[in-house]
Amino acid sequence: MHIGIDVGGTNTDAVLMDGRTTLAGVKNSTSSDVTSGIVAAIEALRERHSFEGSDISAVMIGTTHFINALVEARRLAPTAAVRLGLPATAALPPLVDWPDTLLEAIHAKSYLAHGGYEFDGRPISPLDPEELRGIATDMAANGIRSVAVSSVFSPVNHDLEVQAAQILAEVLGDSVAISLSHEIGRIGILERENATIINAALRELAGEIVDGLTAAVRAQGITAPIFLSQNDGTLMDEDYVRQYPVATFASGPTNSMRGAAQTSGLATCAVIDVGGTTADIGLLINGFPRETANEVKVAGIRTNFRMPDVLSLGIGGGSIVDPETAEVGPESVGYRLSTEALVFGGSTLTATDIAVAAGRANVGDASKVAHLDPQLVQRVLDRIAERVSEAVDRMRTSPEPLPVVAVGGGSILLPDELRLFGAVHRPENYAVANAIGASIAQVGGEIDKVYAVEPGRREETIADVRAEAVNKAIAAGAAPESVSIVDFDEVPIPYLPGNATRIRVKAVGDLDMNTGARA
Amino acid sequence: MSWTLNAERVEDIARGAALLGTGGGGDPYIGALLARQALAEHGGITVVSLDEVPDDAVVLTVAMMGAPTVMVEKLPSLKEVMAPVRAVGEYLGRPVTHVACAEVGGVNSTIPIAAAAALGLPLIDADGMGRAFPELQMVLPTLYGVTASPLALADEKGNVSVLNTVDNTWTERIARVACVEMGCSVMISGFPMDGATAKAALVPDSLSHCSNIGSAILAAREEKRDPVEAIVELVRGRELFGGKVVDVQRGTTAGFARGRARIETGSGTDAKALELNFQNEHLVAKTETEVLVTAPDLIMVVDHDSGEPITTEALRYGQRVRVLAAPSDPRWHEPAALAMVGPRYFGYEMPSHRWDGSTDAEPAAVAS
């Protein structure tokens, strides 16, 4: 058996799983501290389905703690950024486009040093150890407790980042954490560097959170390894989270989508998560969310995290309905649904009232919507179906038939058949889909680099890169026979001769529960 | 009339230039950030209209040469932006008085802003193309006999080379090799012109035009109007097609990203499709039965709702887009110009089709 827990902003969901079967699922309010919510969730599971601590082989947790800490600019460590690249890049130093509130919150210091590589791996300039020692001394004098190191073209060659980290650590000592950009992001130095600085700022908090989670789980007599969900739906172990907290940022929507897919038994599908205010539409391909291709802004900072590509429509259970036009949203009564909707004795016509009037839902007092014109009710439902259908069509990546899965409390607004897509799947345990998503035990490895592909050696180069990704997944704890390539992208770089090509490969396999993750 | 360009205006110019760049020039973010930083550090710059430039002015174009994908990793320094302008000035033995954009599109619309700010020189409200093209010699001044050389290249390491070549195609060939050796992202400055030549050879008011387009897109969005209609009106063009990107194929040929994108709309008997052929920039728009528009006229792809320009590198399956066509500077339709930037130069065996669907007459010997 294993346990999946999703700590969201409002609710903490938990499930007890046996393989892919859900034995029990519970929903609690999220607590302000890390531990008590986890304790309450595990105890509630135990009440539903008794188990011994030793029965549990793994605990998987998805959390929004880290992204919330950044958005709220609190509990961030004093952080410095060093970039190796001089004499290049001087016009746009690290932290160049950051919001002032965050610069203050992390007591930011920015440094430029010599080093870095050209696109083809030639050095720009050698590392200057004296320069780096001087920078480290200045950091120490400024009370810096966490450092981000980036280097030009470190995705092509990361040697200088590693060497620079050693020199800095000699001066700063072990108590200062160092995050390296090549381990965190992709090509695009500002975005990769930003992600690395965010990671650095979160590392103290990561230690506290992991300690708290571990203590809560251990107090329940569970000695099994603990994993956290990453943005891409794969898992990382405790030590990895301490080093790379930033990798948890988009795990919320990812777990919701993967849980929806798992409960419906579909690996490739569109997921429509209808809440109170929005309908969030994402695409799952081979069990993993399709990710955005473009830069993503997090808390006003431009990054190139791999985030699930989610399209949000202003349609939810609390959306306000215009009786004249039959248009729905984007305004919503939100959490006031239980007092403002007609069926709850309020005076606002909401989408939930329409669903009740149409007999699709049985909440509140149906007699309070009996007066609604059946034609209006039908027009509103048709309009919702039309907009959702168009949005799903917009998200899909091929004209192949695509099953659609609906989850979330507001999914009663959706019809049983959607134009272009056919039947809408409604899985049973959708209320705890997030926790089920967290409990899916897979680990992965990703490679994203620029290669000079020699003529006639394309196949060979690609095979090497694929093998490298597979090995990375196995190193992260995947059972070797289960590893497969789930994502492959090859983009020739324009204006460059010599067939310079950016190759991106992601391999994923099932977590080997016997050995655990070693990431 | 001259005006002051400050950091707030950069966003609008970059967005407008991304549109007129017809898919090329790369992500304008770095270029815009560079310009904003330079303006914040050195203060706003003076932009002068073409007719204000004195006849004896010494004008140079400034641009980035190389791969935008390299530039997002190896960011430039301001020194490397200033160095080639100074080098050509020294070579000529006369101080440079004005800088101008070689093209509008991507980073090359904003790098001259950074150069003007760092050098303290006025920037001319004009450019060499009125759009973007992939090769160095593809500017209107070439048609006026202006030579690209002396042309200087500078890298971040301090290397500067000044080329003196027999013609502009040779400048392109030598500069391209040097550029790769220098790390594939260099700053160049050349096409020295006096003010009188600049007035004749450049496309007037391009920066204002870009700025107007950029602000019109934002204004339309804020007022809940259709930004694409606002664009069509400003570029005096037409909307060719709207639909969903269903296929994108890319490959690299001789250092340039060549590719094809297919956009579809409707289904069954109503189904319609448009094919775009691009080499960094969009060069041909055609249906299954006819060619609609080709270079040198402008083919632009924008997001269906927001009107945000989409570069050829960012084209992805599933995007909802609208394809627009607009006239280029009329001088691009002269026979000598078409030989340099017409569809046949890029390997498409067809006459040039203008934005409105009419074709340019070709010498009989070339037609097939």
Side-chain angles (χ1 to χ4, degrees), chain A residues 87-89 91-92 96-97 118-119 122 153 188-189 192 293 302 393-394 396-399 492-497, chain B residues 27 29 34 36 66-69 72-76 156-157 181 183-184 244 252 255 280 305 313 316-318 320:
Chain A
T89 82
L92 301 171
V96 62
D97 207 12
E118 304 280 4
F119 69 96
R122 282 178 292 157
F153 276 111
I189 194 165
R192 181 175 74 248
R302 197 174 144 107
D393 188 43
R394 181 174 279 239
R396 69 169 154 182
T397 55
S398 83
I493 298 184
Y495 303 93
L496 271 180
Chain B
D27 181 351
Y29 172 75
L34 185 70
R36 287 213 316 266
T69 324
V72 301
E73 186 64 34
K74 191 174 75 170
L75 306 170
E156 77 287 347
K157 292 173 270 291
E181 231 9 71
C184 231
K244 172 174 170 171
T252 301
N280 304 324
D305 299 326
E313 287 165 293
R316 293 278 184 287
Y317 198 104
R320 301 296 166 113

Side-chain angles (χ1 to χ4, degrees), chain A residues 312-326:
Chain A
S312 287
L313 295 180
I315 297 176
S319 295
I320 296 171
V321 176
D322 184 332
E324 297 301 317
T325 61

